[in-house]
Structures are given as structure tokens and as C-alpha cells.
Amino acid sequence: KNFLSGQGVEINANHISTTGDSGGNPADKANALMNYINQYNPEEVYFYDDNRLNLEAILSLCEKIYPEININAFLIDKAGNISSAGECS
């Protein structure tokens, strides 16, 4: 929440989920997001990660499983800078 607030993103902490902060793999991230989507049925998802493989796994979900959901993926570099890694809807 502090990181996102520092980037100008204000969000309730209840709407933030982390998965595999250390040693997680892309499948873990994709499965966690699928569980979130199935539970909450969102229209739009914002996903931030520092690993391109994780971002690719997340973006593949909308192509294969959730074409009706707008998924926005962002890469965070070691300096904390954010850049768009892709979007699909």
C-alpha cells in the first residue's frame, strides 16, 4: 500500500493481494489472480510485478480465460519506476 501510495495510486489495503514475494513462479501468480477473479468478478485488474515472466503469465490469462476483463500489467524496476508491460481486454 505504501509503495502504491507513493506512486499516486490510492487503494484500500483490502484490495491488495501479494503472492510469492520470494521465490514465487509465474504459475503461482496466475493462479492467485485467477482465484481473485473467480471470487470477486472484477471488470478491471491492475497487476504490478518486477518479473517479466510473471507479467507475461498474467497477460496470457485475458487471452485464454478472461477476455472480458481488462487486465493492466506494470513492470516495476529495481529503482521503483513503473512502466506499462501491456494491457488486454
Side-chain angles (χ1 to χ4, degrees):
K1 177 163 179 23
N2 290 339
F3 172 79
L4 293 173
S5 292
Q7 300 296 320
V9 177
E10 293 303 324
I11 186 169
N12 184 307
N14 293 334
H15 299 288
I16 298 172
S17 177
T18 61
T19 301
D21 289 335
S22 177
N25 67 52
D28 292 340
K29 303 274 178 138
N31 286 332
L33 184 58
M34 287 172 43
N35 289 334
Y36 178 87
I37 288 171
N38 292 334
Q39 182 176 359
Y40 296 105
N41 196 30
E43 294 178 10
E44 191 165 24
V45 173
Y46 291 85
F47 182 82
Y48 296 82
D49 206 287
D50 61 353
N51 183 312
R52 285 201 181 272
L53 294 176
N54 293 338
L55 296 165
E56 290 171 11
I58 294 303
L59 289 171
S60 74
L61 292 178
C62 57
E63 297 166 1
K64 297 176 184 174
I65 302 172
Y66 302 108
E68 72 284 0
I69 298 174
N70 187 20
I71 299 177
N72 303 278
F74 298 91
L75 178 66
I76 304 172
D77 68 18
K78 293 195 184 300
N81 299 308
I82 299 174
S83 60
S84 176
E87 163 184 350
C88 53
S89 55

